[in-house]
Amino acid sequence: MRENDRIAAIVPEVIGWRQAIHANPELGFAEHETAAFVAAKLKEFGLTVHTDVSATAVVATLTKGTGSRAIALRAELDALPIREAADVTYASRKDGVMHACGHDGHTAMLLGAAKLLAESESFDGRVVFVFQPAEEVLGGGKKMIEDGLLKRFPVEQVFAVHNWPGFPEGHIGVRAGPQMAAVDDFEIVFRGSGCHAAMPHLGDDPLLAAASFVTAIQRLVSRSVDPLSPAVLSVTQIHGGRFNNFVPGEVKVEGTCRFYDRALSDHCAAEIERVAQAAAAMHGASAELTYKRGYPPVVNPGSGATLAALAGSDTVGAERVVTEFQPSMGCEDFAFLLQGVGDGAYVWIGAGDVGPGAGLHGDRFVFNDAIVPIGIRFFLNVVQRALPVGG
């Protein structure tokens, strides 16, 4: 049977796996049923399966031939704390938890690739299949590395895919350089003396300090960062006060920074501290900053991006592989794996246009099953390109 026929033959089964995972979503580091499902399938395919690597992670290995080279393929297990509004027969059975980012699809496609690779002799070397927990917010990829993933399963390259609504359906996007942004979060507590709203002269007003900070910090991007180095700073929360006749003694401001240049992490931290202290001093208040460094940027090395683009051409044709496009200001903890390994690529598979609320993290998000065979075929082609028989 030809490879395309083999892929077509298992697509309905793979979609069934995706829908089963979708109907039973689990949040980060709690993906027990999902991990058990994945591990059972991998064992059924004949892979060597490890569930003792890190938290709820599942890692499996497959070796063919006599080659000593190894690569890793990664998918995510976790869902999001979102109440599903999509009208599908396999909708989430857990109120307030939903696969709204397509991790169910990524996992199912990688399972499909594992099944076909186990049945073939199309590569020479070792493939490490990494099904990681807690990609969303909690940094499951970082924890896996801290727990010894790459020491226990050393590889030369690591690859991952992500469905991408808004990118042309059936197209593959991979670029050398930044593809996803870094993310840092900050929290500032402004403190002063609370007082009666009718007697503001008897206290200090941390609300005014917070308001001054919110407007002044916008200079960080517009006046302190090179205009040719993209950056975003957004203030996303302000909390303070409970009554309309009392000036609160404490106000909390929270926000996030996004950028591609890792050096901007230190710059943002220093500027936010400086502006916060100045705003507080201007109003007789104090400011305390907590700056949380999050995911680094996803930066595809040239060699990994080139291999992924060639595998993409093998998959959908060169005319449907896009290597020049605007990267995303979204973040992705695959950055830790890519940084730890040093080579590989993060790839988008276009899911086409979607409606309001149906994009990534939307409550009406529906994974486009038309891209399932593309994802499976891409994984197979990456393996065959990276670990060629007779290579």
Side-chain angles (χ1 to χ4, degrees):
M1 184 182 290
R2 292 182 305 174
E3 185 171 280
N4 285 347
D5 295 335
R6 293 169 60 233
I7 293 171
I10 70 164
V11 164
E13 184 178 18
V14 174
I15 291 175
W17 299 338
R18 184 192 76 74
Q19 293 180 355
I21 295 170
H22 186 95
N24 296 281
E26 296 171 296
L27 298 176
F29 293 128
E31 311 96 326
H32 302 289
E33 293 181 18
T34 307
F37 177 89
V38 168
K41 289 296 179 187
L42 294 167
K43 289 176 183 177
E44 179 186 316
F45 305 155
L47 279 70
T48 303
V49 179
H50 306 268
T51 57
D52 61 347
V53 178
S54 177
T56 47
V58 179
V59 178
T61 59
L62 179 65
T63 302
K64 299 281 185 174
T66 59
S68 60
R69 299 190 61 216
I71 68 166
L73 306 175
R74 171 274 210 175
E76 322 94 302
L77 299 172
D78 58 322
L80 286 156
I82 295 173
R83 179 173 288 106
E84 183 160 14
D87 183 18
V88 293
T89 58
Y90 52 86
S92 171
R93 297 172 189 160
K94 298 182 180 178
D95 187 43
V97 184
M98 175 192 176
H99 273 290
C101 200
H103 295 182
D104 51 340
H106 307 159
T107 290
M109 292 188 298
L110 188 53
L111 282 175
K115 177 180 173 65
L116 294 181
L117 286 168
E119 296 171 352
S120 75
E121 301 295 329
S122 59
F123 69 96
D124 184 17
R126 188 188 202 199
V127 180
V128 180
F129 298 86
V130 179
F131 295 86
Q132 77 150 83
E135 186 281 323
E136 302 287 357
V137 180
L138 300 176
K142 181 180 181 182
K143 177 170 172 54
M144 291 184 76
I145 294 173
E146 292 172 345
D147 289 342
L149 171 71
L150 298 179
K151 292 180 180 178
R152 189 169 169 186
F153 304 96
V155 295
E156 297 176 21
Q157 293 179 302
V158 59
F159 297 89
V161 302
H162 204 294
N163 79 100
W164 208 259
F167 205 71
E169 182 176 334
H171 286 59
I172 285 175
V174 59
R175 68 194 307 275
Q179 184 143 337
M180 302 287 286
V183 57
D184 289 349
D185 296 325
F186 62 87
E187 175 187 294
I188 306 165
V189 179
F190 292 95
R191 294 186 178 92
S193 301
C195 60
H196 197 291
M199 308 170 193
H201 60 293
L202 299 180
D204 300 312
D205 193 341
L207 271 172
L208 281 178
S212 296
F213 169 82
V214 170
T215 55
I217 197 58
Q218 302 308 314
R219 73 170 300 281
L220 188 153
V221 173
S222 66
R223 290 296 180 269
S224 75
V225 174
D226 185 336
L228 299 180
S229 181
V232 171
L233 181 146
S234 294
V235 174
T236 56
Q237 299 182 58
I238 302 177
H239 303 279
R242 296 178 60 195
F243 306 103
N244 65 355
N245 66 345
F246 183 77
V247 175
E250 183 175 298
V251 176
K252 183 185 293 184
V253 177
E254 297 186 39
T256 185
C257 303
R258 306 284 176 119
F259 41 82
Y260 301 125
D261 180 356
R262 293 185 183 92
L264 284 178
S265 182
D266 289 342
H267 177 76
C268 288
E271 277 295 289
I272 291 170
E273 174 74 24
R274 187 179 70 80
V275 174
Q277 294 300 335
M282 184 167 60
H283 295 284
S286 66
E288 180 182 354
L289 169 67
T290 301
Y291 193 85
K292 306 168 187 174
R293 287 176 170 81
Y295 298 172
V298 174
V299 181
N300 289 331
S303 54
T306 296
L307 188 147
L310 291 170
S313 296
D314 298 337
T315 303
V316 296
E319 70 281 1
R320 288 175 171 257
V321 175
V322 185
T323 57
E324 296 292 336
F325 53 89
Q326 290 294 329
S328 171
M329 276 292 178
C331 64
E332 161 64 77
D333 93 336
F334 180 68
F336 292 112
L337 277 174
L338 193 55
Q339 193 171 280
V341 173
D343 199 4
Y346 181 77
V347 176
W348 295 347
I349 301 179
D353 294 331
V354 297
L360 298 177
H361 293 205
D363 61 359
R364 291 177 174 80
F365 172 83
V366 177
F367 189 88
N368 185 349
D369 284 329
I371 72 172
V372 166
I374 296 174
I376 297 171
R377 187 176 294 113
F378 176 78
F379 280 132
L380 298 182
N381 287 330
V382 164
V383 171
Q384 291 164 17
R385 282 275 182 180
L387 305 173
V389 174

